[in-house]
Amino acid sequence: MQHDEVIWQVIRHNHCSFMAKITTGNFCRNPYNITGVCNRSSCPLANSRYATIRDHDGVFYLYMKTIERAHKPNELWERVKLPRNYEKALEIIDKHLMYWPKFLVHKTKQRLTKMTQMRIRMRKLALKTREKIMTTPRKEIKRESRREKKAETAAELDKSIEKELLERLNGGLYGDIHNILPNYFNKILDENELQAVSDEDEVEPEIEYVQGYDDLEEEDDIEDFRWFCY
């Protein structure tokens, strides 16, 4: 037969895998612990009659354990789904824990209150737009800065070479041989072609004179032919 006091003395003074000892006190890692503190009244193992609140994907459940189901470990806990309405959830707790110890009833309601407040806070934080802080390694920052400096130096060098070649080409230094660097040469040719096309668009169109009675005579002949057909 289960004896709560014997179980508590064993797990308290010998060994308990759920106990966490730190400087501020002893805490319990058991998910069914109603307070999270390791003491006699809050221990779910050393109390044959126990109740707590658990969260499953945003849904709260009231878990209850009694001594009558101690011989059936797979059915040890009985759970009841709590509604999202806080007041109705308190009513269900009062209904199922009517004759239970006042300590368990009070701690169960207190846990439900804290979990409800936490859920409301999580919803507000999810709806609120917050800046995402991204950390970058120091080596990666230095590597990217070196690459940027090299790219800027290469771009400035290309521009200076292009400018100098264009000046030499316009000055007639190369004579009839222009295709020294094909990339720059083709780029300059494309720019000159675009400039020539734009210059042609700016030229005023020529005025032409044509005879304007031929079309009218043809239309009169067509109308006469229609009257003839009728």
Side-chain angles (χ1 to χ4, degrees):
M1 185 176 178
Q2 181 175 355
H3 197 285
D4 295 344
E5 189 62 30
V6 174
I7 295 174
W8 171 248
Q9 293 297 330
V10 171
I11 64 178
R12 177 64 175 177
H13 300 289
N14 293 336
H15 174 71
C16 179
S17 59
F18 297 108
M19 185 186 300
K21 295 182 178 181
I22 59 177
T23 56
T24 56
N26 297 335
F27 293 92
C28 182
R29 293 193 182 96
N30 195 313
Y32 291 92
N33 194 305
I34 197 170
T35 60
V37 181
C38 182
N39 53 31
R40 175 69 177 82
S41 57
S42 299
C43 182
L45 303 177
N47 289 278
S48 57
R49 194 178 192 185
Y50 201 79
T52 185
I53 303 291
R54 294 198 63 188
D55 182 9
H56 292 282
D57 298 330
V59 181
F60 295 156
Y61 289 89
L62 172 63
Y63 278 74
M64 295 170 288
K65 180 181 73 169
T66 57
I67 188 62
E68 288 81 10
R69 292 191 299 273
H71 66 287
K72 301 174 69 177
N74 59 340
E75 297 180 1
L76 182 62
W77 291 91
E78 176 187 1
R79 73 176 188 178
V80 178
K81 184 179 179 181
L82 299 177
R84 302 187 72 87
N85 192 340
Y86 177 71
E87 296 180 356
K88 293 182 179 180
L90 291 179
E91 293 177 359
I92 292 176
I93 292 174
D94 289 332
K95 179 180 177 182
H96 286 83
L97 305 181
M98 185 178 298
Y99 302 106
W100 286 53
K102 293 183 179 180
F103 174 80
L104 282 177
V105 177
H106 173 68
K107 290 298 181 180
T108 304
K109 291 182 179 180
Q110 189 178 20
R111 184 175 175 83
L112 176 65
T113 304
K114 295 294 182 181
M115 294 176 68
T116 304
Q117 293 174 354
M118 183 182 66
R119 181 167 61 183
I120 294 172
R121 180 61 177 167
M122 290 173 62
R123 289 179 182 175
K124 290 182 179 179
L125 291 176
L127 294 175
K128 184 179 179 181
T129 57
R130 303 178 64 184
E131 296 181 356
K132 188 176 181 180
I133 300 174
M134 301 293 292
T135 59
T136 307
R138 186 178 300 176
K139 293 183 179 179
E140 187 176 350
I141 295 175
K142 291 182 178 179
R143 190 187 308 119
E144 293 296 331
S145 61
R146 287 196 298 266
R147 289 178 179 176
E148 289 178 0
K149 291 180 180 179
K150 290 180 180 179
E152 291 177 358
T153 305
E156 292 177 359
L157 182 61
D158 292 341
K159 289 182 180 179
S160 61
I161 293 174
E162 182 181 353
K163 184 179 180 181
E164 185 176 355
L165 289 176
L166 184 59
E167 291 177 356
R168 292 183 181 183
L169 181 63
N170 294 331
L173 181 62
Y174 298 112
D176 295 333
I177 302 174
H178 303 306
N179 195 7
I180 298 175
L181 295 175
N183 295 330
Y184 296 109
F185 181 72
N186 294 330
K187 184 178 179 181
I188 293 170
L189 288 180
D190 294 338
E191 292 178 355
N192 292 333
E193 288 180 0
L194 292 174
Q195 186 175 1
V197 171
S198 62
D199 294 340
E200 291 178 0
D201 294 338
E202 294 178 358
V203 176
E204 296 183 358
E206 298 180 358
I207 301 175
E208 297 180 358
Y209 299 94
V210 295
Q211 186 177 358
Y213 294 102
D214 295 338
D215 298 336
L216 295 176
E217 290 178 358
E218 291 179 359
E219 292 178 359
D220 294 339
D221 294 339
I222 292 173
E223 290 180 358
D224 295 339
F225 178 73
R226 291 176 180 173
W227 283 106
F228 179 75
C229 292
Y230 289 128

